[in-house]
Amino acid sequence: FPLFFSSLCSFELLPMNLISSPKFSSSSTKSFSFRFLLCLFLLNFFCVLSFASLRSHQYQQNHKKPIMILANLTSCSLFMGSWVYDETYPLYQSSSCPIIDSQFNCQMYGRPDTDYLKYRWKPTNCEIPRFNGLDFLLRMRGKTIMYVGDSLGRNQWQSLICMISAAVPRGAQTQYITGDPLSTYKFLDYGVSVSFYRTPYLVDIDSVQGKRILKLDDITKNSNAWRGVDVLSFNTGHWWTHKGALQGWDYMDLGGKLYQDMDRLVALERGLRTWARWIDANIDKSRTKLFFQGISPTHYNPSDWTTGTSTASSARTCYGETVPMTGTAYPGTFPDQMGVLNEVIRDMNNPPFILDITFLSAMRKDAHPSIYSGALTSEQKANPDHSADCSHWCLAGLPDTWNQLFYTALFF
């Protein structure tokens, strides 16, 4: 094509006074005009063809690279992957964070190893952006974020505050308002507030004649605090199975009838459906970004990650674990609560984005406070088989990855 084009259009343009002269015949004029118009047409066609070829080449080249995409697109298996050792982590030092509960502050309370801080989550078929605290504040300027749920939500809330604080300029103005059930940390220079609302069951608990009544059909009191928030992230699950001294209620109220107990997964489903109805009726997703965190796993049973170990050998056995698990199969028993959560969310008209941290967290038997927690006495620390905390997570640590995925789902 280029040779043909060159041959056809190799003539020199003639001066206008020669074209208009009597010596330049009418037939010559027509021939020149035809060749000139044909050349313009071919030139335009060649440019269009070249541009299309270039776009195709760029598309192919771009799709050879790892894709950084929205978390909720099926082409990115955001929550399936592996843990990669990375010397550039952690994103902050616990000693420099303005707000970490003693229960989560493992380095302060004597944890001797640090490798657990240096693992980065690598999804199977895509890349995720490194968390940037200043970018987060600029994107969220003037807005509110609220974590709603139990102490795992508090774990994640404090992690986000630490991650942002590590990036803000020195001298930035902040404000911390602590309370129960609501606590708020504000980055005043950016108009951003990050809150935690404690409600382990999401639905309401009333006190009647000194008895705690878990209202499976009522969420009116708690939900008043969630209205008008720009980003809401919910979690629940663990407290529904607690019994004895850890049980947070005396009776359950379902349909106006009191129960001393019932199947805990049935109770969880009824409570979640009450929450789901409120969300469907009250949350405008064009105004509010909505998340629900998957069930955070525990590591109390060594048979989940070892073979030939008796489950009765110790009660709490994440003590001494220093490296993540590997593989693609879920270790141990998948949490029943996650099945209930998925079923309820599937039936919603206005479903949240599920921050499905269950599998990737299950691989992190090394990331719990264990005995390195200010919540334990010296006597308890001397008996890790019965007192180590294998439910919560160290900060810095695993909840930072939860927030990196939260950041990815929000903005990319």
Side-chain angles (χ1 to χ4, degrees):
F1 181 86
L3 290 176
F4 171 74
F5 180 83
S6 176
S7 173
L8 178 68
C9 302
S10 60
F11 58 84
E12 295 180 2
L13 293 181
L14 300 177
M16 289 302 298
N17 62 343
L18 180 58
I19 293 175
S20 59
S21 71
K23 294 181 180 181
F24 199 83
S25 66
S26 174
S27 61
S28 298
T29 302
K30 290 178 180 179
S31 174
F32 174 83
S33 300
F34 174 78
R35 287 179 64 195
F36 181 73
L37 292 174
L38 180 60
C39 287
L40 286 178
F41 172 80
L42 291 175
L43 179 61
N44 182 65
F45 177 78
F46 180 74
C47 289
V48 170
L49 187 64
S50 299
F51 179 75
S53 176
L54 178 61
R55 287 291 300 273
S56 176
H57 175 72
Q58 289 174 336
Y59 178 86
Q60 292 171 2
Q61 289 297 108
N62 288 339
H63 282 68
K64 290 178 183 177
K65 301 174 183 178
I67 308 168
M68 189 179 297
I69 56 177
L70 281 171
N72 57 355
L73 297 183
T74 56
S75 54
C76 176
S77 300
L78 194 68
F79 304 108
M80 294 301 297
S82 59
W83 289 98
V84 178
Y85 191 85
D86 189 333
E87 283 286 358
T88 67
Y89 280 71
L91 297 174
Y92 61 91
Q93 297 299 318
S94 57
S95 58
S96 65
C97 181
I99 174 174
I100 301 179
D101 286 355
S102 60
Q103 187 176 11
F104 312 142
N105 202 335
C106 305
Q107 289 295 306
M108 175 177 284
Y109 289 95
R111 180 160 179 169
D113 59 306
T114 57
D115 279 358
Y116 73 95
L117 296 168
K118 297 184 177 299
Y119 285 95
R120 170 176 57 84
W121 178 246
K122 172 66 176 69
T124 300
N125 63 343
C126 59
E127 294 289 343
I128 55 178
R130 188 180 178 92
F131 185 89
N132 184 317
L134 189 56
D135 177 65
F136 186 95
L137 287 175
L138 293 174
R139 290 175 184 267
M140 289 298 298
R141 186 184 291 275
K143 297 187 181 297
T144 54
I145 305 107
M146 184 182 290
Y147 294 98
V148 179
D150 58 27
S151 53
L152 278 308
R154 185 176 181 87
N155 224 172
Q156 187 177 1
W157 169 65
Q158 292 188 356
S159 163
L160 183 65
I161 293 169
C162 293
M163 295 168 77
I164 295 173
S165 296
V168 297
R170 188 182 299 276
Q173 298 296 305
T174 61
Q175 183 183 26
Y176 180 34
I177 306 168
T178 182
D180 188 21
L182 180 65
S183 294
T184 300
Y185 196 92
K186 296 183 178 182
F187 295 90
L188 298 174
D189 297 332
Y190 303 89
V192 174
S193 71
V194 187
S195 299
F196 171 67
Y197 187 91
R198 183 184 181 276
T199 172
Y201 305 99
L202 301 184
V203 292
D204 293 343
I205 296 181
D206 285 344
S207 180
V208 179
Q209 297 179 351
K211 299 297 183 181
R212 299 163 299 172
I213 311 298
L214 182 61
K215 311 277 286 186
L216 297 179
D217 294 328
D218 195 358
I219 203 168
T220 307
K221 292 180 181 178
N222 284 335
S223 61
N224 285 333
W226 312 338
R227 297 179 184 276
V229 177
D230 296 295
V231 180
L232 279 168
S233 179
F234 293 90
N235 89 287
T236 191
H238 286 272
W239 282 80
W240 293 90
T241 61
H242 289 339
K243 296 185 177 183
L246 291 177
Q247 181 175 298
W249 46 269
D250 298 301
Y251 294 94
M252 292 183 182
D253 182 334
L254 179 59
K257 184 176 180 180
L258 296 181
Y259 296 82
Q260 283 192 321
D261 208 348
M262 67 173 67
D263 183 302
R264 299 306 181 85
L265 293 178
V266 171
L268 170 62
E269 181 186 3
R270 293 303 295 259
L272 280 175
R273 291 198 182 279
T274 298
W275 168 86
R277 285 193 297 273
W278 185 88
I279 292 293
D280 281 343
N282 294 278
I283 295 297
D284 178 0
K285 285 176 69 175
S286 67
R287 163 74 174 82
T288 300
K289 302 295 183 183
L290 189 62
F291 293 82
F292 207 109
Q293 181 175 300
I295 303 300
S296 175
T298 61
H299 292 94
Y300 292 133
N301 190 342
S303 66
D304 287 347
W305 61 87
T306 60
T307 57
T309 303
S310 169
T311 58
S313 62
S314 61
R316 297 174 180 257
T317 52
C318 66
Y319 172 70
E321 296 293 339
T322 59
V323 293
M325 286 179 265
T326 58
T328 57
Y330 191 90
T333 303
F334 190 76
D336 291 331
Q337 300 99 312
M338 198 64 196
V340 175
L341 173 62
N342 284 329
E343 183 179 342
V344 170
I345 287 179
R346 223 175 9 245
D347 293 340
M348 293 178 67
N349 297 322
N350 192 22
F353 178 84
I354 299 180
L355 199 69
D356 191 3
I357 52 83
T358 304
F359 170 75
L360 64 91
S361 302
M363 309 306 283
R364 294 305 306 273
K365 58 183 172 61
D366 60 314
H368 295 287
S370 181
I371 64 169
Y372 306 108
S373 165
L376 298 182
T377 65
S378 57
E379 291 78 15
Q380 288 173 319
K381 291 181 180 182
N383 190 12
D385 284 353
H386 296 283
S387 58
D389 180 354
C390 301
S391 295
H392 299 100
W393 307 94
C394 296
L395 293 180
L398 175 66
D400 305 333
T401 296
W402 299 351
N403 280 319
Q404 184 183 10
L405 294 167
F406 176 64
Y407 173 68
T408 302
L410 265 177
F411 303 127
F412 295 92

